[in-house]
Amino acid sequence: MRALARVVWRRKELVLLPGIATAVVGGLVWGLVRAELWTGGSVALGAAGAVVIAAAATFGSAVTLLAADDALCGRPAGIGSCWTRAARRLPAIAGWMPVGALGVVGALLLVGMGWSSANYLVLPALVLDGAGMREARRNSRAAYRRDRGRFVRGSSRMTMPVQVALVPCLVAFGMGLTVRDRGLGALLTAGAALCLGAAVTVTASLYGVFRAALYRDSVVEAATEAVRPALRVTEVR
């Protein structure tokens, strides 16, 4: 994790890009909540809003992956170029978005964690190498079977900023909604939102670098296994 943090520290675009995505997704979530409150709770509006939010989050992850891969390979990662390259892969990203969103929901409900981990490298394959959906899923599952421990340990460690900030931010947000002083309430809610947004941004940055590095390592490992000669044992007389 320290090595990934050093990469993020040296390349500020790896924080800026996830920060933009977090702000966009946060704004969409806030707008959806306001719209639901205004309409009294609409299932159709909620479903449509969830699709838009999932699409924005997936696209933001794709942009971060491109920047992380550039940083790991020593290439300059321009913000505009990363967005442009991600837009070129938009059909593939859109095709994966609903499947990936279901996997995330399943992981949050603790019923699809294995499936989500096995498909952890699908989006990097689609975005970084332009792989097809079937090939990307097959290779991701093969990489997961080769080294499940690294998948689980790495993905859990990358969420540490959010894990540390989540409970205090929720407590502060709840206090902001219940205190009588409106000024103090606004300060608490805004501070909690900003703190949680910063934690999400840092987590997304580390996640992007980890996924890109893990994907590149899996490609090398798969190529090594493909060219490794079969071991033949002959009887010695």
Side-chain angles (χ1 to χ4, degrees), residues 14 20 46 50 53 76 111 113 118 123 161 173 175 183 220:
L14 296 180
I20 295 173
I53 291 169
V111 297
M113 296 183 66
L123 186 61
F173 192 83
M175 291 176 60
V220 173

Side-chain angles (χ1 to χ4, degrees), residues 3-134:
L4 299 181
R6 284 195 295 269
V7 174
V8 173
W9 179 258
R10 290 195 301 263
R11 305 292 293 269
K12 300 303 186 291
E13 64 269 20
L14 296 180
V15 177
L16 181 58
L17 286 169
I20 295 173
T22 300
V24 171
V25 172
L28 291 173
V29 171
W30 177 250
L32 178 61
V33 171
R34 292 290 300 271
E36 286 288 338
L37 292 175
W38 185 67
T39 59
S42 170
V43 176
L45 178 62
V51 170
V52 173
I53 291 169
T58 305
F59 186 80
S61 297
V63 174
T64 302
L65 281 169
L66 287 166
D69 188 58
D70 287 340
L72 291 170
C73 295
R75 298 189 298 262
I79 296 176
S81 65
C82 290
W83 281 81
T84 302
R85 287 154 58 198
R88 293 173 185 163
R89 297 296 299 160
L90 191 57
I93 295 171
W96 171 247
M97 183 269 295
V99 183
L102 289 176
V104 171
V105 173
L108 293 175
L109 297 176
L110 303 180
V111 297
M113 296 183 66
W115 185 93
S116 181
S117 298
N119 290 277
Y120 191 63
L121 299 181
V122 172
L123 186 61
L126 296 175
V127 175
L128 301 181
D129 285 339
M133 184 72 68
R134 183 175 300 179

